[in-house]
Amino acid sequence: MKKLKVYCLLFFGMLCVPNIAVAQNEPTNDVVTIDDGFEDLFYDAIQQRSIENYDKAITALEKGKVIQPENPVIYFELGKNYFAQKKYKEAYENFEKVTKMDPKNRWAWVGMYDVCYETKDYNKAIPIVEKLVTFKEDYKEDLTSLYMNTQQFDKALDLINELNAKFGKSDKRELYKADILKDSKYQSAEKFNLLDQIKKFPKEESNYIALIYMYSQSNQEEKALEIAQKLEKEIPTSDWAQVSLFKFHLNNNDGDNAVKAMNIVFPSKKIDSKIKHRMLNEFLIFTKNNPKYEADLDKAISYFDNDKEVRVAKEIGKFYYSKANWPKAVKYLEMHLKNADDDIEIQLILMQAYTENQQFDALSKKADNLTQLFPTQPQFYYYAGLANNQLKAYKKATTYLESGLDFIIDDQALEINFNIQLGEAYNGLGDNTKKEKYFTKANELIKKQKK
């Protein structure tokens, strides 16, 4: 919680007075000239405070209090000196005495608030700030923070909405509001508030967005759709309306309109990338059951080409791979690797997808290229050998496999596969001795693995 600040010049020095948004001179409390020594004591106290001799200032003020015990300026100055010394109890008592003598003295109320703020006694500060609001409405910002600090969220929410309506939203208030609305018991009141704001200000997009989000979070999809449709009607150019309409169209199996909504949202700079990713995932699942929209999926992916956080084509390729849809897995993994050929994880997944899809020509070319780019990666030699065995290029297969065998380190499963492929290669070449050698080695490793 922060307080508003201003600086006021009082006689001999600069006097810091918190919480006032607009500069205003502190009342000087003119001292009536009476030849009783009071004036000299008062000005001596002011001078001593200006050079931070607070004890001497207090001494002078106490002497002055004996002469004029009903003069509120004495207690006000005592409050400031005690406050400067961090003697908060004494400071509060003197400021409070001023408010009892002169309830309209705003500066004394400010002094009491300063003490509460410094001592973090926020509950005690609230009635003081409520009084300050009657002097200056700007103190409602402080009051909002006090309500938040004392967990009076219903009062805080009402005040936030009042200030938002009157002065416009602020980042601080919006953060407060988001914290409050995490508790579902306040959401109902906020929904009514947003509906009221939409009625009063139909062209203010943010109110629709907030309400759509709240309805979606509480699984009130029909109401979210209703608000989205209102938003589209009032602000036809709103990208946010299409986010909710997209979901509605998918639920109704209306792929054409879902695509239209998606193609408005994805190029938009207003919509958060997380929302776009969620929409793409939903459209991916829809496309799986409605393959005629695959071309639209490809177009949608192109919107994410420069997305460094999520490699969309990669994730879609892995999705289809997990579903054993090898042709589509190949398609999207290849799409990803056009701009990421150093992604070894995906290179390996793609080669396995080639294998499952029996694309041995493509596997042979891919593996050969990768053995040159990554000459110490044994997996690439394995796939090169496997592909050439399937293509009956047995001699070429043995070359890859025997070269790659030297790079295997602590990977028994891979070593077994190498020996099996070498056995297959030498079987194809008619070399029974080497065929038996490698098949025997593979069997020994399998038995050892089972132990």
Side-chain angles (χ1 to χ4, degrees):
M1 187 181 71
K2 295 183 179 177
K3 303 196 313 181
L4 305 170
K5 300 285 185 179
V6 73
Y7 296 91
C8 304
L9 182 63
L10 178 62
F11 296 113
F12 297 103
M14 294 297 291
L15 175 66
C16 175
V17 181
N19 299 300
I20 309 304
V22 180
Q24 177 179 335
N25 289 327
E26 183 179 310
T28 59
N29 294 292
D30 294 336
V31 181
V32 178
T33 303
I34 302 173
D35 191 14
D36 56 7
F38 178 84
E39 184 176 316
D40 290 339
L41 289 168
F42 180 78
Y43 284 110
D44 181 47
I46 296 295
Q47 187 174 26
Q48 293 299 331
R49 184 168 62 80
S50 71
I51 57 175
E52 299 183 3
N53 286 333
Y54 304 118
D55 286 332
K56 289 183 178 181
I58 289 169
T59 298
L61 290 166
E62 289 292 343
K63 290 178 181 178
K65 185 167 71 171
V66 173
I67 299 169
Q68 295 189 20
E70 299 304 317
N71 192 334
V73 74
I74 287 291
Y75 302 100
F76 184 67
E77 286 298 320
L78 279 168
K80 288 191 288 189
N81 280 280
Y82 282 125
F83 185 82
Q85 290 182 318
K86 300 185 187 303
K87 294 181 179 179
Y88 297 123
K89 180 177 180 294
E90 293 86 346
Y92 188 91
E93 288 172 351
N94 279 281
F95 288 133
E96 186 177 37
K97 190 169 182 67
V98 176
T99 64
K100 290 178 179 178
M101 299 171 75
D102 179 11
K104 294 183 179 180
N105 188 321
R106 171 158 60 104
W107 301 98
W109 291 100
V110 169
M112 292 167 67
Y113 178 29
D114 288 344
V115 172
C116 293
Y117 181 81
E118 291 298 324
T119 57
K120 294 182 170 57
D121 193 343
Y122 302 130
N123 281 302
K124 193 174 183 179
I126 287 174
I128 297 169
V129 177
E130 286 174 340
K131 178 66 177 179
L132 285 168
V133 166
T134 66
F135 293 112
K136 194 168 187 62
E137 195 174 19
D138 289 20
Y139 281 103
K140 286 185 177 180
E141 295 286 358
D142 289 54
L143 192 54
T144 303
S145 296
L146 289 169
Y147 286 147
M148 291 298 296
N149 275 278
T150 55
Q151 299 186 356
Q152 298 183 59
F153 299 129
D154 50 348
K155 291 183 179 180
L157 186 57
D158 286 343
L159 193 51
I160 288 167
N161 288 333
E162 177 191 329
L163 293 170
N164 284 351
K166 193 164 187 178
F167 302 109
K169 296 176 182 179
S170 73
D171 291 341
K172 183 178 179 181
R173 275 184 257 121
E174 287 303 287
L175 285 172
Y176 283 157
K177 193 170 188 176
D179 282 341
I180 294 169
L181 294 178
K182 287 176 183 176
D183 189 333
S184 59
K185 72 179 181 180
Y186 297 107
Q187 292 176 7
S188 179
E190 178 58 11
K191 287 172 186 174
F192 283 117
N193 170 63
L194 288 168
L195 285 167
D196 184 56
Q197 292 299 306
I198 287 170
K199 188 175 180 181
K200 290 179 181 176
F201 309 104
K203 300 300 181 183
E204 177 55 55
E205 185 183 44
S206 61
N207 292 320
Y208 295 92
I209 295 166
L211 189 54
I212 289 169
Y213 177 78
M214 290 187 71
Y215 280 140
S216 297
Q217 289 295 100
S218 56
N219 297 316
Q220 294 177 280
E221 294 296 342
E222 288 186 8
K223 290 188 176 181
L225 172 64
E226 182 183 334
I227 300 304
Q229 289 171 333
K230 281 185 179 180
L231 172 56
E232 186 182 37
K233 181 179 178 181
E234 291 292 343
I235 312 174
T237 58
S238 172
D239 297 337
W240 280 100
Q242 301 303 320
V243 174
S244 291
L245 292 172
F246 167 80
K247 179 73 171 179
F248 172 75
H249 295 319
L250 283 188
N251 290 341
N252 284 338
N253 208 37
D254 184 353
D256 291 345
N257 280 317
V259 168
K260 288 178 183 177
M262 183 174 66
N263 288 336
I264 292 172
V265 172
F266 283 177
S268 173
K269 294 181 180 179
K270 297 179 182 178
I271 311 298
D272 185 85
S273 61
K274 291 180 181 178
I275 293 174
K276 295 178 184 180
H277 290 147
R278 187 195 71 200
M279 289 176 64
L280 184 66
N281 286 335
E282 290 170 350
F283 190 68
L284 170 62
I285 295 167
F286 177 80
T287 304
K288 182 174 177 287
N289 299 318
N290 298 272
K292 71 175 184 176
Y293 291 102
E294 189 172 326
D296 297 297
L297 178 63
D298 293 347
K299 181 181 177 182
I301 292 171
S302 69
Y303 289 118
F304 297 88
D305 284 346
N306 297 318
D307 190 332
K308 295 180 180 179
E309 292 183 14
V310 179
R311 298 293 186 180
V312 172
K314 172 180 176 177
E315 296 307 316
I316 291 178
K318 289 171 75 173
F319 169 82
Y320 280 123
Y321 184 90
S322 70
K323 303 297 181 184
N325 189 329
W326 311 120
K328 287 186 178 178
V330 166
K331 173 182 175 178
Y332 291 107
L333 294 173
E334 285 181 336
M335 191 183 295
H336 165 69
L337 288 170
K338 285 180 182 178
N339 299 312
D341 61 359
D342 59 344
D343 190 336
I344 291 177
E345 175 205 5
I346 298 304
Q347 294 285 12
L348 290 170
I349 290 175
L350 175 61
M351 287 191 290
Q352 185 60 35
Y354 280 146
T355 303
E356 300 287 353
N357 206 38
Q358 298 188 6
Q359 293 178 251
F360 298 115
D361 279 320
L363 178 60
S364 175
K365 292 174 184 176
K366 169 65 74 174
D368 178 66
N369 182 53
L370 289 170
T371 58
Q372 296 177 53
L373 288 173
F374 305 98
T376 62
Q377 289 289 331
Q379 295 94 333
F380 298 146
Y381 293 92
Y382 166 75
Y383 279 109
L386 183 153
N388 281 287
N389 269 341
Q390 294 297 321
L391 295 171
K392 302 187 185 307
Y394 301 116
K395 183 63 179 174
K396 199 173 182 180
T398 61
T399 301
Y400 282 116
L401 292 164
E402 287 173 347
S403 298
L405 200 58
D406 294 333
F407 298 116
I408 299 175
I409 301 173
D410 298 327
D411 190 340
Q412 202 169 74
L414 182 61
E415 190 176 353
I416 290 169
N417 286 332
F418 260 86
N419 281 284
I420 290 172
Q421 289 302 320
L422 278 164
E424 294 287 355
Y426 280 110
N427 180 56
L429 291 170
D431 189 330
N432 289 326
T433 301
K434 286 189 176 180
K435 176 189 79 171
E436 290 301 324
K437 172 187 171 183
Y438 287 111
F439 281 150
T440 300
K441 178 66 174 175
N443 285 328
E444 289 173 354
L445 289 170
I446 291 169
K447 289 176 184 178
K448 187 177 177 181
Q449 195 176 47
K450 290 179 179 179
K451 288 182 180 180

